[in-house]
Amino acid sequence: MMARYTVDQLHQRLQSHRIVQGPLAGVSSVPFRELVWRYSQPAWVCSEMISCRTIISGSPSIKQRYLQISAQEGPLCMQIATDNPEDCAKACAVLNALDIAMIDLNVGCPVKKIRQRQQGSYLLSQPDRLYTIVRALRAHSLHPISVKIRVDGSTNDRFNEDVLDAINRAGPDFLTVHGRNYQEGYDTTCHHDQIAFFAQRAHMPVIGNGDVHDQSSVEAMLALGCAGAMIARASVGAPRLIGNIQARMGLICAADSVSMPETWAMFCAHINGLSQLLGREDLALAQAQGLIKYYAKRNQYPSSIVNAVRSTQTIAALSDLVSLL
Ligand SMILES: Cc1cc2nc3c(=O)[nH]c(=O)nc-3n(C[C@H](O)[C@H](O)[C@H](O)COP(=O)(O)O)c2cc1C
């Protein structure tokens, strides 16, 4: 059974563990999170984003998918999206009954459909609305709360000052800053100076995010004044990455090295877990097509195994592909 966490406890975890596993829609469900916890000790791990409307009135199967929590997990930060304080309050009533460590508000999602619903990064241009939503979260959540934003970047947006002001007044317990504008996607260079702007002026601990993948990129975030660094994509296919970096930084004892066949066993466990979560082998195999690219990149698999996964019909047959490594 997971314990509930106070703000102080999460703050201490961030001080001692430094790295947070970030949210990835389509990836950060239970099977991925369990693998991260088996091989690493992040300060906490974020869920996929779930809209408050789904939390309030989604079908039982969709709620089971997004709200499932495993007993093998450490502190879980459940990420929500909304465009209004009323839905936020109603969603809190549901989330308050769950054994999660924190609720995070998504204020960075660049996806058109989400922005059209006036959620995600759209809220950066509406600091007053952002303020009322974070206040609702503060008033109704029994869990600590955080907000995850993007920055002006190199665009003509000029919201950094106003967003900082709204967030400082609303007072979440943590702030995560992804150093790109929503129009800058995921691959342009991060604006470290703008992460520093928030890290040095926010009234709460800031977690720096964007392209963190090794010891020096974690240390670069800490040098900006961040209390921690968030790794999102780099852990997919490499659930031991956070543990390895923490070991190099002397934060935890050295993590055991993992052999190539063991990384394949991780991949198979990941897909098996998805099959159980989704209740359908074909859906899990469809997700395997996307995930194998991450595993291949992180673990230097030959391209033959990527092609073989594409034509595999059953999850049971996946384990035999270990011979191709
Ligand atoms: C496929 C994908 C899905 C993502 N889903 C979410 C999400 O649900 N919530 C969120 O706040 N950020 C999401 N992000 C953004 C990441 O959390 C992170 O901010 C971004 O990838 C930069 O960090 P990284 O370089 O460590 O990956 C997503 C990014 C990608 C590539």
Side-chain angles (χ1 to χ4, degrees), residues 23-25 49 79 106 148 178 186 209-211 230-233:
L24 288 165
M49 177 179 92
Q79 191 187 59
N106 182 316
K148 181 166 180 277
H178 176 192
Y186 298 97
N209 168 239
D211 296 336
M230 173 180 280
I231 293 182
R233 288 167 294 180

Side-chain angles (χ1 to χ4, degrees), residues 252-275:
I252 60 164
C253 296
D256 291 339
S257 63
V258 179
S259 67
M260 198 81 132
E262 282 172 282
T263 67
W264 190 250
M266 286 178 200
F267 176 71
C268 294
H270 195 160
I271 307 309
N272 253 315
L274 281 170
S275 176

